[in-house]
Each structure stands twice: as structure tokens, then as C-alpha cells.
Amino acid sequence: MDILQKWFPFNHRKIREENENNNAFHSSEERIQVFCFPSAGSGASLYRAWCNTANNRDIDFIPVEIPGRGNHITSPAAASIDELVDAFLSIFPKVVRSPYIIYGHSFGAAVAFQVAYTLQERGFQLPEKLIVAGRHAPHMKDPNPMSSASTDADIIEEIKKMGGTPDAILNHPEMLQFTLSQLRGDLRTHESLRYTGQKLQIPIEAHCATQDDANKEIVEYWKEVTADEFQIKEFEGHHFFIQALGDLYLNSLLDTITQTKKSLS
């Protein structure tokens, strides 16, 4: 399995076809890419259903498979967000074209923020927008009590409350232990993010749910980590509202991306 297939399991063939020169950043006026980072314990499959839906809008959703799961299961998991970001950015220039957006849910929002900031620091062509969902701003205290130090029982109780974990996993001891192991590893990575005053020079749009720990009042603080425009959208639901709402959420996201693309022309 090659490196593109590991990182981008649902797009690697198309990426390979479209990028004859894999070492050059190049532009496309016709389409916009959306790189999607998953929540803790999840993988690129979290966004698989989005990939085919957006084709008729000239939008390419590109779910990212982080090391340690899915096609990337044989790769060691990153010990920190900085390590994960560096690993991702080693392949990113071979894949990206302009314009593009970075998206992340929960743990993925923390990774997405650090990816965007690192790109900014390194003088790379920036995304048109950062879209974050279901997470507090990086300089604020995490409202969710779950951590890598939590007991298995406490983590299980919390993920049941949050929803999003299928009963087939919760009721299968071996699958549950595997999921807990991956989730605990992601929590450790998540906790490695240190905010030292990072501020983006691109717009941020934050999405939150009415019944999530990261509610509107908490998510509002994302406005303090950008020098550009900020927008917030609130949806009904719990932490995994981005899946639970199905087409309702996806259509709202597609409208946001389409509007961003139109503003470039």
C-alpha cells in the first residue's frame, strides 16, 4: 500500500490521476478541496459518505486517515499533535491544489487548527477557511471531563452520553477494548496541544450543537484565534451532530463551502 492510499483512502486514485507533478503546489479554478480530520477514536470513514455527495458541486471532500487506524493501521500513532501535523505536512504538498479548506470535528478540529497555523508559519499557500465543529477554542479549558487518564468505565459512560459509538462496538468486549485503546491514544495526542498565542490570518467558521459540552457559548471563543472573519452556526443535537443530522448538516456545510468558492471568483 502506497503513502497516498494510507493517508487518503477514498481519494488516492483521483489524487494520483490529477497530480502528474506531485512535488508542485498548483491551482484549479474549477474545484475546491476540503481536507477533513476525524474525531478521537474515529477514522477517515467518518466522512466517507460525504465524498460522492459533493461531486456535483465541484467540491472534493478528502477525508484524512491518521496513522494508527484504517489503511494507516500499521503505522505508529503520533505521540503529539505536532508530530501528527509534521507527518501530514510531509505528504500534503503532493496533494493540495488551490483553493482548499481545512475541516475538523472535535479532536480533528484541534489537528485542523494546528495544521492551518503551521502552514501559516511556514509561508505555505493558506486555506480559504478553517471550519471547526464540536470543540472548544484552543486557548480555552476543555469542558468535557474525559481524558487519557480516565478509567475505562468513565470513558464508556462518556461516549455513551455523547452518542456516535455503535451498539455493535459497545456490546462487543474485544471491539470495545480496541476502540478504547485508540480513543485513549487520541486523547493523549489531543492533550499535547499547547496554545502559545497562535492566531490565524484566515476566516474561521465554528459549528456547535445545542446539547454538546462544547456549546455555542464555549465555541464562540474561536473568534479570538483569528485576525480575520468569524462565523458560528448552531445545530440541534449532541456531540456527533455532524453525523446524526445527516443531510441537514451536510447541506449546510456544502452551502458554506459553495459560498466560499463563489467569493473567490
Side-chain angles (χ1 to χ4, degrees), residues 37-53:
F37 291 92
S39 53
S42 302
S45 59
L46 188 70
Y47 305 114
R48 184 172 189 172
W50 295 4
C51 294
N52 296 328
T53 307

Side-chain angles (χ1 to χ4, degrees), residues 159 165-177 179:
I159 62 178
T165 304
D167 288 341
I169 291 178
L170 292 171
N171 298 327
H172 191 292
E174 290 184 0
M175 292 177 64
L176 180 58
Q177 284 303 313
T179 300

Side-chain angles (χ1 to χ4, degrees), residues 149-166:
S150 298
T151 65
D152 284 356
D154 286 343
I155 292 177
I156 292 169
E157 180 181 352
E158 189 63 26
I159 62 178
K160 284 181 177 179
K161 185 181 80 171
M162 294 166 64
T165 304

Side-chain angles (χ1 to χ4, degrees), residues 7-195:
W7 280 101
F8 313 107
F10 310 123
N11 306 83
H12 61 97
R13 291 186 182 88
K14 184 174 183 179
I15 290 169
R16 191 174 292 104
E17 291 172 0
E18 291 181 347
N19 293 278
E20 294 182 356
N21 182 358
N22 279 345
N23 294 316
F25 181 96
H26 56 289
S27 65
S28 169
E29 297 178 356
E30 298 179 356
R31 306 188 69 82
I32 187 166
Q33 294 174 306
V34 186
F35 293 89
C36 301
F37 291 92
S39 53
S42 302
S45 59
L46 188 70
Y47 305 114
R48 184 172 189 172
W50 295 4
C51 294
N52 296 328
T53 307
N55 280 334
N56 61 349
R57 296 212 195 187
D58 297 328
I59 297 168
D60 292 330
F61 280 110
I62 304 179
V64 179
E65 193 76 274
I66 67 173
R69 66 209 51 208
N71 282 4
H72 235 158
I73 192 67
T74 59
S75 303
S80 67
I81 280 189
D82 287 343
E83 182 180 313
L84 176 55
V85 169
D86 283 342
F88 174 71
L89 293 185
S90 70
I91 189 67
F92 184 64
K94 301 177 182 180
V95 176
V96 68
R97 62 176 187 272
S98 180
Y100 71 101
I101 287 171
I102 298 178
Y103 175 96
H105 173 248
S106 194
F107 164 65
V111 179
F113 172 77
Q114 196 62 21
V115 165
Y117 183 74
T118 304
L119 288 168
Q120 180 176 289
E121 285 292 283
R122 296 180 183 180
F124 199 81
Q125 179 69 35
L126 294 178
E128 303 302 326
K129 179 177 287 188
L130 171 66
I131 303 176
V132 293
R135 191 194 187 274
H136 58 289
H139 61 308
M140 303 301 292
K141 182 180 178 181
D142 191 344
N144 191 295
M146 184 167 58
S147 74
S148 61
S150 298
T151 65
D152 284 356
D154 286 343
I155 292 177
I156 292 169
E157 180 181 352
E158 189 63 26
I159 62 178
K160 284 181 177 179
K161 185 181 80 171
M162 294 166 64
T165 304
D167 288 341
I169 291 178
L170 292 171
N171 298 327
H172 191 292
E174 290 184 0
M175 292 177 64
L176 180 58
Q177 284 303 313
F178 180 75
T179 300
L180 288 174
S181 176
Q182 289 198 322
L183 179 56
R184 197 181 295 279
D186 284 348
L187 289 171
R188 282 193 292 267
T189 303
H190 183 240
E191 290 157 6
S192 72
L193 178 64
R194 296 289 179 266
Y195 185 76

